[in-house]
Amino acid sequence: MPNRPDGPRDPTAGPDGGPEPPFPLRLNGKVIKGFGRGSSELTNFAITQLGIPTANIPISGLSVGGHEAVESGVYYGFAGLSPSAATSHASAVYPMVMSIGWNPFYKNTVRSVEVHIMHEFATDFYGCHMNLVILGFIRPEYDYLGRDALVEDIRTDIAVAGRSLERKGYEGFSGDGYLVEFGGEEHGGEVGR
């Protein structure tokens, strides 16, 4: 696992004209509790100090549709949430940045999918169904020597995702019907094009 490189980062990710293969990728799952670091580690710190909580979905979805080998790293796109109190009881679509990987700073032994929805919510949405349209890759997963460098990169990832999604070739994907197709059934995790 490479250490974080020094130097400035690109302000956007992906080609300006829109996503190129293998993107867009589609993934969905029920929002679940993560590793339980919320009380003492990054998640709690992020919520109270940085405003960057994450929603986790099962990693099993990556094995559906032939994308189990998707590279670990940070991605951007849009997230659709099923109706809940957090979304004023209607389905809603938000920009997102997500990490797929091992989180080497925390020495995880299980790969995870952690999504930061770029919106402030008044309540959590555990148990909601989340559909994701992944439009591009920001960077690989790095190992960090300290939490400050990790937090700095997370902030930069959010800014890069926001600028990337504002481009004409990407903004239209917020209207992708897949993001709000929940029906009355459980999707169970699915990745596809």
Side-chain angles (χ1 to χ4, degrees):
M1 184 77 46
N3 286 330
R4 173 187 187 223
D6 291 330
R9 291 184 44 193
D10 291 333
T12 59
D16 286 339
E20 293 181 349
F23 303 105
L25 299 175
R26 289 171 173 83
L27 170 65
N28 69 70
K30 189 175 268 193
V31 177
I32 59 173
K33 293 201 182 228
F35 292 103
R37 289 191 281 262
S39 61
S40 62
E41 287 293 340
L42 179 66
T43 305
N44 186 53
F45 181 76
I47 292 169
T48 59
Q49 301 293 322
L50 304 172
I52 50 174
T54 60
N56 300 298
I57 60 174
I59 193 69
S60 60
L62 291 177
S63 64
V64 179
H67 295 290
E68 60 274 346
V70 68
E71 181 179 355
S72 289
V74 179
Y75 295 82
Y76 62 96
F78 291 99
L81 288 174
S82 63
S84 71
T87 62
S88 299
H89 302 286
S91 56
V93 175
Y94 305 98
M96 66 84 182
V97 61
M98 65 184 290
S99 168
I100 298 174
W102 301 93
N103 297 313
F105 180 75
Y106 290 106
K107 311 292 187 255
N108 288 354
T109 58
V110 177
R111 206 166 179 227
S112 65
V113 176
E114 298 181 35
V115 179
H116 171 68
I117 297 176
M118 296 157 61
H119 179 81
E120 287 190 36
F121 293 92
T123 183
D124 71 55
F125 43 88
Y126 290 122
C128 284
H129 203 86
M130 183 164 51
N131 293 344
L132 303 172
V133 174
I134 304 166
L135 299 175
F137 182 78
I138 294 176
R139 64 173 176 85
E141 186 172 47
Y142 298 130
D143 198 357
Y144 292 88
L145 300 176
R147 185 178 5 200
D148 289 347
L150 172 61
V151 170
E152 180 183 335
D153 266 2
I154 292 171
R155 286 180 172 177
T156 302
D157 295 336
I158 293 167
V160 168
R163 285 189 296 268
S164 297
L165 291 169
E166 290 173 350
R167 297 175 295 178
K168 289 187 187 252
Y170 295 86
E171 63 187 0
F173 280 90
S174 65
D176 187 323
Y178 172 82
L179 289 166
V180 294
E181 290 175 5
F182 300 106
E185 61 200 53
E186 194 62 43
H187 291 169
E190 167 186 323
V191 175
R193 290 192 68 213

